[in-house]
Amino acid sequence: MSITRHFVLAAGGTGGHMIPAHAVAEELMARGHHVALVTDERGAKIPGIFEKAAVHVLPAGRMQGGPLGWIRGLKGIRDGRDMARRMYDNFQPMVVCGFGGYPALPALLAAIKEDIPTVVHEQNAVLGRVNRLLARKVNAIATAYPHVERLKDKFDHKVHLVGNPVREEVLSLRGEEFPALTDESVFRLLVTGGSQGASILSDVVPEGLSMLPISLRRRLQVTQQCRAEDIERVRATYAELEIPADLATYITDMPEKLSWAHLVIARAGASTLAELTVAGRPAILIPLPSAMDDHQTANVRELVEAGGARSIPQAHFTPVELAKQMQKMAMEPGALQNAARRAWNCGRPDAARDMADLLESIGSAPLMNDPLPVKPRIASPSALNLGGAAA
C-alpha cells in the first residue's frame, strides 16, 4: 500500500525562488510524497526543473504603477487566491510552502483562508516583502542565514535555520577536492551574472583580466555568461587578448562548470552563494545595488567574514580593482585553496533535507492512501480546470 502526503510549493518565477523550491520538491518526492507547484509564467518555463510535478500558473498581481496598477494588482491577487482555493479542494495539501516572490502570495493567502498550515522560506539575508507581509500568519519561517534583517524578534519562536536548498548536481560536488592548481596549470575562471546576466561584468571583467601579470593571464580559461547584446563584443575582446573564452547567454551545465572552476566572479544572489558554499569555491562577488532592500549586500557578509570570498561594491567595481583582488587571491600561495575551504565551511548541504523535515512536521493532515496521479505540466491559468491538478 502506497502512503503519501500532499504538499504545495509556491515560488516566484526567478531561479532564486524556483531552484530551492525544486530541491525541496525532489526531496519530498523521494520520500514518497506528492508535490504541486504554483508559480507564474516565467517559472513554468525554466527548463529542467519540476518535470515530475504538476505546475499551476496562477495570476499573482503586483502592487505597482499607481492607483490603476494597484487595482489591477489586487484583482490579480484575489483571482489567484480563489483559483488556489479551488485547487486545494481537489489536491488537499498538508502544507503550503512559499519560497518568496509575488506569485507565492495568492497561494499562501488561500491556504490561510482554508486553515491549511503554511511555511515560508527566505533565501536572502533580508526578509522579502511577501514573507514580511505574512510572517505573523504563517506557522513557520525557514531561513538561509543565522541573522535575517527585517525579521522581527517576536517571530523568533517560529524561525528555523535550514539553509538554502541546492540542486542534487551541485550537492554532489560537496565531496570533491578543489581542482588541482599549480603555477603552470590552466586557471579556470567562471563569470556569471545571475539569470539575466550582467552587463557590468561584460564591461569590467575582460579589461580587468588584461591588466593581470602575463604569467597569470596566459594561463586563463574563461567561461562567462553575457547578455545577448554584449556577447559578440566580449568575444572579440577576449580574442584580441588571446584569452580562451566560452561565452553563452545562459549556462545550462552550471554544476559542471562550477566543479572545475578555480575562481568565480558573480553577483550575490542567494542561490549563487548557496552553490558556492556547498561546492566550496572561492569568489569575487559584486552585489546588485538595485536588489530589493539591498539584500545581496547582506547576503555576502557571512561568506566574506569567513574568508571564503571578497566583495566589491558595484560603484567600486573597476578593471583596476578587479585585477588587484584577483592577484591577491590567485598569486599568493595557497590563497585560493584556503578561501575554498572557508567557503565550504559556510555551506549548509542538508538544507533540502531539513526543509522537508520541517514541512513534514507542520500541520495535522492525515496520511493519504491511493495517491492522486501526476498530471501534465499546466501552461496557463485557463488550463487549471478550476479544480486544480494533483501531483
Side-chain angles (χ1 to χ4, degrees):
M1 180 176 64
S2 179
I3 300 175
T4 187
R5 288 187 173 103
H6 293 175
F7 295 89
V8 169
L9 308 184
T14 66
H17 299 305
M18 292 287 290
I19 289 175
H22 169 73
V24 174
E26 291 284 302
E27 175 68 22
L28 289 170
M29 289 187 288
R31 299 182 184 195
H33 302 306
H34 286 279
V35 177
L37 170 72
V38 170
T39 187
D40 59 13
E41 292 184 357
R42 297 174 304 161
K45 294 177 181 177
I46 295 178
I49 62 176
F50 281 98
E51 294 178 344
K52 300 175 185 177
V55 177
H56 303 280
V57 177
L58 301 185
R62 293 178 67 93
M63 305 302 291
Q64 60 185 16
L68 289 178
W70 300 339
I71 293 172
R72 287 192 295 268
L74 286 171
K75 183 180 184 301
I77 292 170
R78 184 192 64 192
D79 290 347
R81 180 200 62 187
D82 292 345
M83 294 172 75
R85 291 178 69 184
R86 291 192 286 271
M87 186 186 86
Y88 299 161
D89 286 343
N90 183 7
F91 191 63
Q92 300 177 25
M94 176 187 179
V95 177
V96 175
C97 180
F99 286 81
Y102 283 98
L105 180 58
L108 289 164
L109 290 174
I112 292 168
K113 185 72 173 179
E114 296 293 324
D115 291 325
I116 299 169
T118 52
V119 178
V120 293
H121 180 272
E122 180 55 62
Q123 298 92 50
N124 293 301
V126 181
L127 197 65
R129 287 186 179 180
V130 170
N131 289 346
R132 288 203 301 270
L133 178 66
L134 298 177
R136 181 174 62 87
K137 295 181 177 293
V138 299
N139 297 81
I141 301 169
T143 66
Y145 294 92
H147 174 69
V148 178
E149 297 176 15
R150 307 198 72 168
L151 177 55
K152 296 180 180 179
D153 292 343
K154 66 182 180 181
F155 300 132
D156 283 351
H157 66 284
K158 62 172 74 176
V159 173
H160 304 261
L161 174 62
V162 299
N164 198 9
V166 300
R167 294 168 286 182
E168 184 63 35
E169 297 91 335
V170 174
L171 194 60
S172 67
L173 303 179
R174 183 76 175 169
E176 294 187 5
E177 296 289 335
F178 184 72
L181 184 63
T182 68
D183 291 340
E184 300 298 325
S185 62
V186 173
F187 186 100
R188 298 185 179 93
L189 180 66
L190 174 61
V191 185
T192 175
S195 59
Q196 301 300 316
S199 287
I200 191 169
L201 299 182
S202 296
D203 295 338
V204 172
V205 173
E207 187 176 349
L209 299 187
S210 74
M211 297 179 179
L212 294 173
I214 187 63
S215 61
L216 176 57
R217 191 170 74 239
R218 66 179 175 81
R219 296 164 48 206
L220 288 174
Q221 180 176 318
V222 178
T223 296
Q224 182 164 343
Q225 178 194 23
C226 302
R227 288 181 180 269
E229 60 267 28
D230 298 329
I231 194 166
E232 292 306 323
R233 170 175 60 86
V234 176
R235 182 174 284 116
T237 301
Y238 279 127
E240 183 178 345
L241 294 171
E242 298 183 338
I243 296 176
D246 179 15
L247 309 181
T249 57
Y250 183 78
I251 300 176
T252 56
D253 54 347
M254 183 64 76
E256 180 182 350
K257 295 295 190 290
L258 191 61
S259 72
W260 53 244
H262 295 109
L263 179 65
V264 178
I265 300 174
R267 287 297 197 192
S271 288
T272 296
L273 294 182
E275 293 183 350
L276 288 172
T277 56
V278 166
R281 293 296 181 270
I284 295 173
L285 302 169
I286 304 90
L288 176 67
S290 61
M292 189 172 295
D293 300 313
D294 197 23
H295 65 251
Q296 290 200 3
T297 296
N299 287 351
V300 303
R301 287 177 187 145
E302 181 184 38
L303 183 55
V304 170
E305 289 175 0
R310 294 171 182 261
S311 178
I312 305 175
Q314 182 164 305
H316 301 148
F317 184 57
T318 64
V320 171
E321 182 63 21
L322 175 63
K324 181 174 70 175
Q325 296 298 338
M326 278 197 65
Q327 287 183 71
K328 288 181 178 179
M329 297 187 76
M331 301 190 73
E332 292 180 7
L336 280 173
Q337 292 86 342
N338 183 50
R341 183 177 66 255
R342 292 170 180 266
W344 190 91
N345 286 336
C346 289
R348 295 183 173 89
D350 297 327
R353 184 200 68 187
D354 292 346
M355 189 68 193
D357 287 346
L358 175 61
L359 294 179
E360 285 183 329
S361 73
I362 298 293
S364 58
L367 288 169
M368 302 180 68
N369 298 330
D370 302 322
L372 301 173
V374 176
K375 292 187 178 180
R377 295 168 68 91
I378 294 176
S380 67
S382 62
L384 188 59
N385 268 341
L386 299 182

